[in-house]
DNA sequence: TTAGGGTTAG
């Protein structure tokens, strides 16, 4: 009894802390009630709050207790708003906010209330409500509270309203470090990483989270090299990194395909005993998978004690990208056995796995199970995967039928998949239709025009080839410049189309001439027809064979030891010509070449490619 | 007795 009295007088957190489950809490609750120890609203409030904080994923019980209270305290209601803002049902926060407004004891919301409420609005993207809450904040005079301010900056960024975040931020005379960091993250989220860096450079003090926000900002904006450089600068400045920094660093390595740097990061994590959380583990799996070391990816995967749906989806996607379709399907079975619920992303990985090895029936079955078994409505991506699945397997009519029977209107991705299949299986008629649709939906899609012209060229229909070319000029279609990245001794080298800026370009040129000669001796005929054209200025580069992956291969041939595979990451799809050339080079030079393009991995060895033409 | 900023899969 005396211990219960003690607990009722003092924070009941300690009591709730000792409970392993809600059942124990309920028992204690009953005892406290019987002994009249919860008559004091403050004790009651505190008891509820500690339950809500201890069991954020099961708020029903604390909700029930609070709803039975006659006069809940502001403290208790604030805590409930906070707990719900982070829960799966943030909407419920408003219920407790209304309790404050309508309380018989005339409670008035305070700075805590608004800090939590703003978070709820951000969480559920309640844009209009968020604006109302902001107005109420001003009405109550809390707009100068730093916690509320950083919350508003965050909230507007979540809404995609960077200018509103900016406006809030600009009105703060001396923003503190937390608010500055929120602003950096907000800029990065909207793609304005330059302004984020401007703010970062002017921060009087930068802690670990500020560094992490800036590094993540570069990663999110696709500026992976800058992310890695900043990560290294952080270490030079003696800031201790944590698992969040490592996730961003790994993510940068993943995008670059920088396996050596990624391996170094992994070693660094182990050496510094950085805790491998689910997120960090998933980042490691994804890095190894997307850098082409699938064995290591799976090794890390199986070593992870805790995995979530992100981890499983990343591993499955890796297997699909690397061409291990059957293994991808097997992993899906294991995942289900382990009781992990798949989501829509898991199915994208799964369908890709089916596609890459031509498992049409399995793919169709899984696609249908999405809605029937898992209650997941297929999205455009899934439809695109199905078209790809039929198309690659050469079942073009079925692909087309599938598109005609889609619940939603086929999007550019689906037509693109069909067009690609038409190119592979040389179906000019359907290809023409697909590309017309693609151009309608996405008039600036360079790939659509190139694929269409390739289809015409395959059937030697040169008039049409030049028509396509004319249309491109008229519509001002421009290609995203192709860039390839290669890593040599842990250093990342980036080459773009026709890029001569590399310090070793003279050596590269010599190597390319040699490659060209040896290719010709092996029977390679340079493309002299106007087929695989790009646009104007790039045409000249093409004549010299200056596609970025060719430059990178040339550089790799003389920079890397013969036993080391040449690993290249390209931002676009490998072009058909480069694919042919790379197959030949792998034989002529007896080198293993691994190219990751936008879609998948190509392992070139002994004059063959792992994609077996399902390019 | 309740605060605010940084991280993963398509």
């Amino acid at each position: 009894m005396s211990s219960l009295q003690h607990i009722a007088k003092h924070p009941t957190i300690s009591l709730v802390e000792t409970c392993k489950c809600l059942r124990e809490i309920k028992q204690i609750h009953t005892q406290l009630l019987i002994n009249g120890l919860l008559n004091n609203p403050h004790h009651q409030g505190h008891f509820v709050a500690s339950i809500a904080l201890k069991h954020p994923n099961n708020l029903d019980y604390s909700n029930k207790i609070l709803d039975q209270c006659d006069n809940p305290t502001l403290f208790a209601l604030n805590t409930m708003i906070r707990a719900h803002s982070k829960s799966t049902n943030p909407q419920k926060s408003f219920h407790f906010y209304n309790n404050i407004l309508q309380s018989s004891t005339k409670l008035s919301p305070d700075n805590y209330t608004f800090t939590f409420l703003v978070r709820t609005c951000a969480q559920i993207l309640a844009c209009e409500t968020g604006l109302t809450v902001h107005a109420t904040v001003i009405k109550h005079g809390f707009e100068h509270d730093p916690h509320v301010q950083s919350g508003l900056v965050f909230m507007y960024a979540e809404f995609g309203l960077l200018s509103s975040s900016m406006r809030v931020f600009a009105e703060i005379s001396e923003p503190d470090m937390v608010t500055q960091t929120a602003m950096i993250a907000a800029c990065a989220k909207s793609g304005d990483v330059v302004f984020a860096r401007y703010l970062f450079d002017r921060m009087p003090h930068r802690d670990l989270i500020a560094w992490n926000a800036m590094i993540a900002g570069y990663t999110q904006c696709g500026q992976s090299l800058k992310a890695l450089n900043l990560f290294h600068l952080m270490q030079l400045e003696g800031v201790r990194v944590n698992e969040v920094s490592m996730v961003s660093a790994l993510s940068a390595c993943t995008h670059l395909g920088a396996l050596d740097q990624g391996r170094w990061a992994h070693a660094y994590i182990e050496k510094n005993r950085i805790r491998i959380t689910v997120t960090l583990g998933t980042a490691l799996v994804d890095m190894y998978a997307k850098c082409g070391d699938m064995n290591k990816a799976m090794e890390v995967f199986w070593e992870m004690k805790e995995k979530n749906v992100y981890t499983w989806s990343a591993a499955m996607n890796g297997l699909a990208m690397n061409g291990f379709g059957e293994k991808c399907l097997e992993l899906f079975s294991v995942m289900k056995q382990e009781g992990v619920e798949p989501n829509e992303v898991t199915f994208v990985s799964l369908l890709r796995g089916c596609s890459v090895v031509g498992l049409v029936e399995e793919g169709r079955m899984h696609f249908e199970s999405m809605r029937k078994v898992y209650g997941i409505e297929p999205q455009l991506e899934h439809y695109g995967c199905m078209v790809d699945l039929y198309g690659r397997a050469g079942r073009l009519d079925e692909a087309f039928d599938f598109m005609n029977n889609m619940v939603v209107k086929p999007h550019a991705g689906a037509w693109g998949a069909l067009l690609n299949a038409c190119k592979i299986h040389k179906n000019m008629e359907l290809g023409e239709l697909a590309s017309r649709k693609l151009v309608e939906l996405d008039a600036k899609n360079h790939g659509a025009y190139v694929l269409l012209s390739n289809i015409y060229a395959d059937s030697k229909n040169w008039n049409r080839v030049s028509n396509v070319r004319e249309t491109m000029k008229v519509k001002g279609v421009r290609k995203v410049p192709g860039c390839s990245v290669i890593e040599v001794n842990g250093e990342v080298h980036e080459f773009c189309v026709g890029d001569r800026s590399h310090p070793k370009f003279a050596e590269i040129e010599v190597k390319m001439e040699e490659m060209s000669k040896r290719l010709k001796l092996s029977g390679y005929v340079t493309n002299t027809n106007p087929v695989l054209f790009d646009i104007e200025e790039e045409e000249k580069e093409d004549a010299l064979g200056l596609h970025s992956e060719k430059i990178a291969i040339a550089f790799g041939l003389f920079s890397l030891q013969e036993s080391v595979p040449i690993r290249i990451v390209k931002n676009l799809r490998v072009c058909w010509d480069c694919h042919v050339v790379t197959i030949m080079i792998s034989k002529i030079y007896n080198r293993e070449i691994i190219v990751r393009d936008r879609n998948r991995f190509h392992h070139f060895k002994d004059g063959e490619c792992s994609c077996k033409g399902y390019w």
Side-chain angles (χ1 to χ4, degrees):
Chain A
M1 200 53 244
S2 65
S3 74
L4 277 180
Q5 269 170 346
H6 170 82
I7 287 154
K9 242 181 227 171
H10 294 283
T12 40
I13 282 188
S14 55
L15 180 62
V16 175
E17 277 296 313
T18 60
C19 298
K20 286 195 185 68
C21 61
L22 221 54
R23 193 172 50 85
E24 289 180 32
I25 290 179
K26 285 178 189 173
Q27 285 168 356
I28 288 174
H29 185 210
T30 314
Q31 284 196 37
L32 288 168
L33 282 175
I34 291 170
N35 292 290
L37 292 171
L38 285 182
N39 294 341
N40 180 328
H42 290 276
H43 293 161
Q44 211 173 40
H46 189 225
F47 185 68
V48 175
S50 46
I51 298 172
L53 295 176
K54 165 97 179 172
H55 293 277
N57 297 322
N58 193 350
L59 295 169
D60 290 348
Y61 192 64
S62 33
N63 286 348
K64 208 173 96 191
I65 303 176
L66 206 66
D67 281 338
Q68 289 165 356
C69 291
D70 293 331
N71 298 309
T73 58
L74 184 60
F75 163 71
L77 291 165
N78 279 347
T79 307
M80 293 310 283
I81 296 174
R82 177 193 176 210
H84 281 92
S85 75
K86 295 179 175 177
S87 76
T88 47
N89 181 19
Q91 196 76 40
K92 185 89 180 167
S93 300
F94 294 109
H95 169 78
F96 296 103
Y97 178 61
N98 287 330
N99 283 5
I100 296 176
L101 299 181
Q102 292 155 12
S103 71
S104 52
T105 45
K106 298 215 162 74
L107 295 174
S108 179
D110 63 2
N111 42 346
Y112 287 88
T113 317
F114 288 116
T115 305
F116 306 141
L117 205 58
V118 160
R119 199 131 271 265
T120 294
C121 296
Q123 205 69 37
I124 58 175
L125 299 178
C127 204
E128 279 183 33
T129 314
L131 286 168
T132 313
V133 171
H134 189 176
T136 319
V137 162
I138 295 169
K139 204 175 99 191
H140 284 79
F142 293 121
E143 78 269 36
H144 299 299
D145 182 290
H147 293 91
V148 177
Q149 287 168 333
S150 57
L152 286 168
V153 167
F154 175 83
M155 180 187 81
Y156 284 121
E158 286 295 294
F159 294 165
L161 300 172
L162 183 62
S163 52
S164 300
S165 289
M166 289 271 201
R167 216 168 301 135
V168 173
F169 187 74
E171 280 171 17
I172 309 170
S173 54
E174 276 182 28
D176 64 15
M177 186 163 60
V178 174
T179 315
Q180 289 177 55
T181 308
M183 196 60 235
I184 288 172
C187 290
K189 214 172 277 169
S190 302
D192 194 349
V193 74
V194 175
F195 192 67
R197 184 59 193 257
Y198 175 89
L199 293 172
F200 181 78
D201 285 339
R202 279 156 191 77
M203 283 176 81
H205 304 287
R206 289 186 283 252
D207 67 356
L208 170 64
I209 299 183
W211 280 92
N212 285 350
M214 194 58 237
I215 294 169
Y218 278 126
T219 314
Q220 286 157 0
C221 295
Q223 303 207 21
S224 303
L225 269 179
K226 286 190 176 159
L228 281 183
N229 287 338
L230 198 65
F231 173 77
H232 290 130
L233 185 64
M234 178 182 180
Q235 289 172 305
L236 283 178
E237 298 215 351
V239 185
R240 215 186 145 82
V241 306
N242 71 354
E243 73 275 8
V244 179
S245 336
M246 295 315 296
V247 169
S248 293
L250 280 169
S251 175
C253 296
T254 306
H255 287 126
L256 290 167
L259 183 58
D260 288 344
Q261 292 249 18
R263 280 180 182 142
W264 174 86
H266 190 182
Y268 186 90
I269 290 165
E270 287 181 340
K271 193 176 143 210
N272 292 281
R273 294 169 186 260
I274 293 172
R275 201 164 60 96
I276 300 197
T277 54
V278 184
T279 310
L280 183 52
T282 305
L284 275 169
V285 170
D286 194 42
M287 182 278 291
Y288 279 117
K290 293 216 179 96
C291 290
D293 192 343
M294 205 55 222
N295 286 336
K296 189 69 189 174
M298 292 316 287
E299 191 187 308
V300 174
F301 177 83
W302 292 119
E303 276 172 10
M304 281 171 70
K305 286 189 193 77
E306 195 193 338
K307 307 179 190 72
N308 63 15
V309 67
Y310 283 75
T311 323
W312 289 91
S313 304
M316 284 171 59
N317 178 59
L319 289 167
M321 265 188 94
N322 283 281
F324 304 113
E326 287 92 351
K327 288 204 172 140
C328 171
L329 270 80
E330 277 169 33
L331 201 63
F332 180 65
S333 303
V334 182
M335 172 182 161
K336 285 191 294 181
Q337 279 163 22
E338 305 231 336
V340 179
E341 194 69 11
N343 67 12
E344 69 281 4
V345 179
T346 320
F347 277 98
V348 173
S349 303
L350 183 63
L351 295 175
R352 284 193 181 160
C354 296
S355 186
V356 86
V357 284
L359 293 171
V360 179
E361 295 315 318
E362 282 84 347
R364 184 151 61 187
M365 181 196 72
H366 286 302
F367 179 80
E368 282 177 7
S369 78
M370 284 181 70
R371 202 183 286 134
K372 285 184 192 155
V373 183
Y374 301 97
I376 301 168
E377 195 58 36
Q379 298 163 353
L380 290 172
E381 290 87 344
H382 304 104
Y383 286 104
C385 287
M386 287 307 288
V387 176
D388 192 66
L389 176 65
Y390 286 119
R392 276 175 194 274
R395 294 158 72 161
L396 293 174
D397 293 339
E398 282 170 88
F400 191 51
D401 279 349
F402 180 84
M403 290 181 73
N404 287 327
N405 291 315
M406 275 169 65
V407 181
V408 287
K409 200 177 159 213
H411 66 307
W415 287 113
L418 186 67
L419 179 57
N420 194 32
C422 292
K423 158 71 187 151
I424 294 172
H425 299 287
K426 303 195 187 335
N427 185 328
M428 193 169 86
E429 209 180 325
L430 200 53
E432 201 181 339
L433 171 72
S435 94
R436 243 194 357 255
K437 290 283 186 185
L438 191 49
V439 167
E440 261 174 42
L441 290 166
D442 186 6
K444 300 273 179 193
N445 188 327
H446 173 271
Y449 295 93
V450 171
L451 272 173
L452 181 64
S453 81
N454 287 356
I455 289 171
Y456 287 142
D458 281 343
S459 56
K460 309 213 182 319
N461 198 335
W462 307 124
N463 277 340
R464 293 204 169 178
V465 169
S466 62
N467 283 348
V468 177
R469 185 176 177 168
E470 205 50 47
T471 316
M472 285 176 78
K473 268 189 198 161
V474 173
K475 293 199 177 170
V477 180
R478 299 222 152 245
K479 192 186 172 188
V480 178
C483 282
S484 293
V485 167
I486 179 169
E487 197 185 31
V488 172
N489 301 325
E491 199 185 331
V492 176
H493 301 259
E494 190 176 52
F495 298 98
C496 289
V497 186
D499 186 0
R500 293 179 169 79
S501 63
H502 195 275
K504 288 197 172 170
F505 194 76
E507 266 179 87
I508 293 173
E509 244 175 348
V510 172
K511 195 69 187 177
M512 288 187 75
E513 270 175 40
E514 181 205 298
M515 279 159 64
S516 176
K517 276 182 197 153
R518 292 184 67 172
L519 278 164
K520 272 181 198 152
L521 282 172
S522 305
Y524 171 73
V525 186
T526 318
N527 253 313
T528 45
N529 59 39
V531 189
L532 295 155
F533 69 87
D534 292 301
I535 43 174
E536 290 177 286
E537 59 274 13
E538 283 173 10
E539 220 172 329
K540 294 170 207 146
E541 310 295 1
D542 273 355
L544 298 167
L546 279 188
H547 265 180
S548 64
E549 57 267 54
K550 286 183 191 159
I551 309 175
I553 290 171
F555 180 64
L557 277 173
F558 69 78
S559 308
L560 290 164
Q561 285 179 345
E562 281 184 26
S563 54
V564 181
I566 297 173
R567 294 173 184 274
I568 288 167
V569 172
K570 199 186 172 190
N571 63 338
L572 307 169
R573 294 278 292 277
V574 175
C575 90
W576 194 251
D577 186 51
C578 285
H579 197 260
V580 172
V581 165
T582 312
I583 287 175
M584 294 183 78
I585 288 177
S586 73
K587 192 167 173 74
I588 296 169
Y589 287 87
N590 191 25
R591 292 292 285 258
E592 198 179 338
I593 302 171
I594 302 164
V595 179
R596 182 184 100 193
D597 73 4
R598 254 176 69 164
N599 268 20
R600 60 164 293 160
F601 275 97
H602 300 263
H603 288 243
F604 298 92
K605 204 179 173 186
D606 298 330
E608 278 186 38
C609 177
S610 60
C611 79
K612 304 208 186 308
Y614 281 106
W615 161 87

